Amino acid sequence: MALAGAKVDAMEVDLLKWVTGQTTSIIGGSPNTPFIGLFTTMPDEDGSGSTEVSTSGTAYARLNTYTSSKWAAPSTTTGVTSVVNNVAITFAQATASWGTVVGWGLW
């Protein structure tokens, strides 16, 4: 069942704002403090089975991306709502192999 309509659209926009640390109009509380992390194995649908890049001797760490200027306001084009970053998201240089990065996650 597909959901549609102004209320669902507003919730999509506010959810994207919340996960990128922006103030929302319908989700209460403080904005989320988003972190981006990298995966060498992507999680399953239920969130299990993932492998995040090792932090042991590699200089890898999740990046705190909480600054409103780092993220554009969500926009909807042809029925798809998305948000983009305004600045490059740069991780520290690896001091040992991170493996093959196949994806990222937003916390």
Side-chain angles (χ1 to χ4, degrees):
M1 175 170 108
L3 298 175
K7 288 183 182 180
V8 172
D9 293 342
M11 187 61 163
E12 289 172 352
V13 168
D14 266 20
L15 182 59
L16 285 171
K17 285 181 177 181
W18 186 76
V19 300
T20 58
Q22 300 177 47
T23 302
T24 72
S25 59
I26 59 177
I27 299 174
S30 299
N32 189 36
T33 301
F35 284 82
I36 290 182
L38 303 175
F39 290 106
T40 56
T41 304
M42 292 299 290
D44 296 326
E45 284 292 318
D46 65 0
S48 67
S50 66
T51 304
E52 189 172 1
V53 172
S54 173
T55 58
S56 179
T58 64
Y60 167 77
R62 291 180 186 171
L63 291 180
N64 179 338
T65 61
Y66 179 71
T67 302
S68 60
S69 63
K70 288 187 179 181
W71 299 98
S75 63
T76 303
T77 305
T78 60
V80 176
T81 304
S82 63
V83 64
V84 298
N85 50 302
N86 285 329
V87 296
I89 298 172
T90 306
F91 287 82
Q93 183 162 342
T95 57
S97 177
W98 286 7
T100 301
V101 175
V102 297
W104 57 274
L106 189 63
W107 284 269

